[in-house]
Amino acid sequence: MSKERILVVEDQPDISSLLKIYFTSQGYEVFTAMRGSHALEICSKTPPNLALLDVNLPDMEGYDIGRALRASPRTRHIPIIFLTARGERRDRLVGLGEVQAQYYIVKPFDIEEVHTIVKNQLDEARRKNQLHPVTNLPTADLIGDHLRLLLSAQGWSMALLHINGFETFTQSYGSVVGEDVLKFTALLLNEAVNELGGNDDFVGHMVVGPAFVLTSSPERIKTIVERLLTRFDEEIGLHYNFRHRKQGYIEITDDAGGTRQVPLMALSVGVVTSEDGPFYDIRELSETVEETRQRALHEAREQGKKSWVVFGRSR
């Protein structure tokens, strides 16, 4: 399982270094930012499991970072803990009330107490089944909650993406390298949405298997998916050894003892929109988008393609 990621946003180098050294020693992966703009860039590319925010920063207040995280479906689930010298009642009300932070701790602080709070918040998030343990993307309950909101809205599109050949790859290369592929795919998704998507776009990772969910507007999703497929096909070979990359396949032994060639990994993507409905529950929506993805997989195999996408009835 991957290390849980903590983002420390603090403009005082001594405090930032103390928090980084301490939490790294406790087994966490720690990102640091001294400016709010850098913190938001980190959250958009590799969302952390938890954010420790100072309020007084050179370019913006920590409250503004918290508001931005809460405003986006991709980051609104991230627990926020304020660590700040601003301890007035009105400051606490902004942090806990308006920003909806989990805790508001006034400096000077006891670092072991902060660690206990951080650990409890991360444990609670795991109990709620909110984040995928490898990619740190929303999963399970958070995906379900988001899809329920779609059912009562119009003007949306949803893509289901599956990494074909992932199971064979992990059997040949091992689960650790397989986790690298999942992280790579999540990174490509986040980068495509950051560049081509909007603030309301959502990226999630299904709790079982190499499957991802993307929601966006019908106008944006085609461009996002096409960019993702192009980059995946261009870069996935870097996860293979030279021989497999050059020949374009892995040889495996089947149940009968024969040798079979399995192509390098590719994506199959199904896309449906609100115009393909109405959808009356999440199950119906999920089944429809999975049927669409299966069509993409079938068409790719028939035409000898790599990654492939099929749009629903509205296209």
Side-chain angles (χ1 to χ4, degrees):
M1 183 179 296
S2 300
K3 293 181 178 180
E4 291 176 301
R5 298 196 289 265
I6 296 175
L7 172 63
V8 173
V9 186
E10 170 61 65
D11 68 335
Q12 296 186 39
D14 54 342
I15 297 178
S16 178
S17 296
L18 170 67
L19 292 168
K20 181 178 178 64
I21 292 171
Y22 179 82
F23 280 102
T24 299
S25 72
Q26 299 300 314
Y28 301 97
E29 184 177 6
V30 182
F31 298 87
T32 60
M34 300 184 71
R35 301 178 67 88
S37 57
H38 184 206
L40 292 175
E41 181 182 352
I42 292 173
C43 289
S44 67
K45 291 183 177 180
T46 53
N49 294 82
L50 182 141
L52 291 169
L53 306 181
D54 190 10
V55 173
N56 297 319
L57 298 169
D59 57 339
M60 66 177 70
E61 289 189 325
Y63 302 137
D64 296 324
I65 301 172
R67 292 186 186 101
L69 295 181
R70 293 291 182 250
S72 172
R74 297 165 61 202
T75 56
R76 64 172 51 133
H77 60 276
I78 296 174
I80 295 173
I81 298 173
F82 282 109
L83 292 176
T84 177
R86 289 169 57 169
E88 297 293 330
R89 179 175 181 271
R90 62 178 178 273
D91 293 313
R92 292 176 178 271
L93 290 177
V94 172
L96 295 173
E98 184 180 332
V99 181
Q100 298 180 350
Q102 276 65 33
Y103 277 86
Y104 195 100
I105 302 173
V106 179
K107 299 174 181 176
F109 54 81
D110 183 319
I111 197 166
E112 291 187 357
E113 179 183 353
V114 174
H115 179 218
T116 298
I117 293 172
V118 166
K119 183 177 182 301
N120 289 342
Q121 287 299 312
L122 294 173
D123 288 345
E124 182 177 353
R126 284 194 298 273
R127 285 196 298 271
K128 291 180 177 178
N129 203 16
Q130 290 186 324
L131 301 177
H132 194 279
V134 175
T135 61
N136 198 35
L137 291 175
T139 192
D141 293 344
L142 288 177
I143 292 177
D145 291 343
H146 183 72
L147 296 185
R148 289 185 188 92
L149 294 176
L150 293 187
L151 294 177
S152 58
Q154 292 294 322
W156 55 265
S157 56
M158 172 187 174
L160 178 64
L161 310 94
H162 187 275
I163 306 176
N164 308 324
F166 178 79
E167 291 78 6
T168 301
F169 175 83
T170 55
Q171 290 170 8
S172 299
Y173 282 81
S175 59
V176 173
V177 184
E179 288 185 358
D180 289 340
V181 171
L182 296 177
K183 294 175 184 176
F184 160 77
T185 307
L187 179 62
L188 292 188
L189 263 169
N190 277 319
E191 289 183 349
V193 171
N194 289 339
E195 182 179 353
L196 304 170
N199 291 332
D200 295 332
D201 293 358
F202 175 87
V203 177
H205 187 170
M206 304 298 284
V207 69
V208 177
F212 298 81
V213 172
L214 164 68
T215 68
S216 184
S217 70
E219 296 76 23
R220 294 192 298 261
I221 201 163
K222 183 175 188 294
T223 306
I224 294 172
V225 169
E226 288 177 348
R227 172 67 59 82
L228 175 66
L229 266 57
T230 298
R231 288 199 59 191
F232 189 94
D233 286 346
E234 289 176 347
E235 301 177 33
I236 191 60
L238 298 176
H239 295 272
Y240 291 83
N241 63 37
F242 176 77
R243 181 170 65 87
H244 290 158
R245 184 165 62 248
K246 184 177 180 180
Q247 65 191 20
Y249 59 83
I250 294 177
E251 307 95 339
I252 65 170
T253 302
D254 57 28
D255 295 337
T259 301
R260 183 164 61 92
Q261 297 178 355
V262 178
L264 304 189
M265 288 177 284
L267 294 176
S268 55
V269 184
V271 178
V272 299
T273 75
S274 53
E275 298 300 316
D276 293 314
F279 301 101
Y280 297 102
D281 54 39
I282 294 178
R283 179 177 179 180
E284 182 182 8
L285 172 60
S286 300
E287 289 176 349
T288 302
V289 74
E290 170 60 15
E291 290 171 0
T292 308
R293 188 197 69 79
Q294 289 288 345
R295 285 167 47 203
L297 179 60
H298 179 71
E299 289 183 14
R301 289 173 174 171
E302 275 196 335
Q303 301 182 35
K305 302 293 184 179
K306 295 180 181 179
S307 296
W308 200 252
V309 57
V310 165
F311 291 89
R313 294 189 296 272
S314 65
R315 299 297 178 108

